[in-house]
Amino acid sequence: MRVLIDKKDIGFFFESLKEENTVYGVKQKEPGFYVFDEAETFSDPLDKYTPTLLPPKKYLFPQKETLLKFSTTPSLKVKQLIEFKKQVIFGVRPCDIHGIKLLDKVFTTDHEDKNYTQKRANTIIIGIDCMKPCYKYAYCESVGCLDVEDGFDVLLTDMGDCFYALIGTAQGEAIIRKNARFINANKSDDEKIKCMKEERRGLFENKFATDISNLPLLFKNADNDPVWDELNDRCLGCGRCNIVCPTCYCFDVFDCVDLNMSSGERCRQWDACTLKDFAVVATGENFRSTRGQRLRHRFNRKFNYLMTKHNTSFCVGCGRCSRSCPVKIDVVETVNAVVNNRKTK
Ligand code: SF4
Ligand code: SF4
């Protein structure tokens, strides 16, 4: 099903979703910088949009959450905590929808992570298509994430006076029927959308120098590439690139014991593989003690290990890490340096 929603009615749609859900939308934090936050009104910046500082994964996999509470007196009691609420994330771009799809895989493969899956099951995703490169760091086209076919409930495309709304799920259809004023789209609208999407091809100048499918083998053979020594000297080991990434999902688990020493809670908190202590084990050994080793690991996670396991890139090309890095370490430059160094071998 696909429908048209007049732009003057998008506020009505947004408002009516708030009747049964907490609605998060995109807000400008300061000129040029955007965040997802609880929103009163529809405020997606559309053409002026650059990826939010943090991706919307924070509503599905919070930076810190309590997993269980425990007490030891008079007898041991453990209570699992899984918190969720009905929520809508409004204005999710295709790269971030791909990011959520990857987290869906991670948190359901081998073992279901109910703290994630319960939040995900209660979340409605309203996407907004991108009609041009949003900023110089984006390379979503290179990793196959410019377009998205599922993972959303509704995907809006800006057609000027109205939004073309592609419905992705039964839940999406239900909220459109209940909450939106719309008319059905016709074949000429479908054609117009197809042409608009075709016109974007080739607009992305930031791209990999090889097809994404070549990357797992390339990185597998690049353990001794000189690029890791160069990055070792530049990287600060600050972890920012991990924290802003929509597909990074590592976390640390720790117990906070109350002063009475008989109760407390077990929490998890985002961790970052570029931090110095990430790979320290009980004996004190650190398997990745240098910054170059840790960055090599991070690139292998995105383009080799997880890509091989799940058969898809684990980078969605949002460019957040390149934008956030204080010493301007750039993913595309790094991948292309590895590609070129392999060619000269
Ligand atoms: S590695 Fe960088 S560009 Fe890729 S998804 Fe993560 S933050 Fe975005
Ligand atoms: S943001 Fe840059 S400096 Fe910080 S850990 Fe990542 S690559 Fe290194």
Side-chain angles (χ1 to χ4, degrees), residues 8 12 37 76 81 94 181 198 241 247 266 328:
K8 67 178 165 25
F12 171 81
D37 200 355
L76 179 65
L81 279 191
R181 297 178 186 134
E198 272 311 307
C241 47
T247 72
R266 177 162 297 176
K328 310 231 172 302

Side-chain angles (χ1 to χ4, degrees), residues 231 234-244 272-275 291 294-295 298-299 320-330:
L231 293 185
R234 282 171 63 199
C235 175
L236 307 174
C238 66
R240 259 204 215 185
C241 47
N242 293 116
I243 297 306
V244 299
C273 62
T274 50
L275 295 178
R291 295 182 295 274
R294 297 198 289 277
L295 274 186
R298 180 162 198 269
F299 277 83
R320 283 185 177 92
C321 56
S322 305
R323 174 180 64 185
S324 308
C325 177
V327 293
K328 310 231 172 302
I329 291 173
D330 183 281

Side-chain angles (χ1 to χ4, degrees), residues 204-325:
F204 288 77
E205 290 174 5
N206 199 25
K207 53 185 159 199
F208 292 159
T210 189
D211 190 88
I212 181 84
S213 60
N214 297 324
L215 294 185
L217 187 60
L218 196 89
F219 275 91
K220 193 174 170 196
N221 293 318
D223 273 4
N224 298 316
D225 196 286
V227 79
W228 311 124
D229 293 332
E230 194 248 322
L231 293 185
N232 185 60
D233 294 340
R234 282 171 63 199
C235 175
L236 307 174
C238 66
R240 259 204 215 185
C241 47
N242 293 116
I243 297 306
V244 299
C245 179
T247 72
C248 278
Y249 59 86
C250 289
F251 57 83
D252 196 8
V253 176
F254 54 92
D255 288 348
C256 295
V257 181
D258 298 333
L259 273 181
N260 60 18
M261 298 300 281
S262 62
S263 62
E265 52 185 43
R266 177 162 297 176
C267 300
R268 72 172 169 191
Q269 180 168 294
W270 292 352
D271 205 347
C273 62
T274 50
L275 295 178
K276 187 170 170 245
D277 292 343
F278 184 85
V280 172
V281 293
T283 55
E285 305 287 339
N286 188 342
F287 288 107
R288 291 188 289 275
S289 60
T290 72
R291 295 182 295 274
Q293 288 168 345
R294 297 198 289 277
L295 274 186
R296 182 179 67 192
H297 174 76
R298 180 162 198 269
F299 277 83
N300 269 286
R301 294 279 290 178
K302 302 298 174 196
F303 302 116
N304 178 11
Y305 310 146
L306 291 172
M307 194 166 164
T308 303
K309 178 171 179 182
H310 295 285
N311 203 22
T312 181
S313 165
F314 254 69
C315 165
V316 297
C318 69
R320 283 185 177 92
C321 56
S322 305
R323 174 180 64 185
S324 308
C325 177

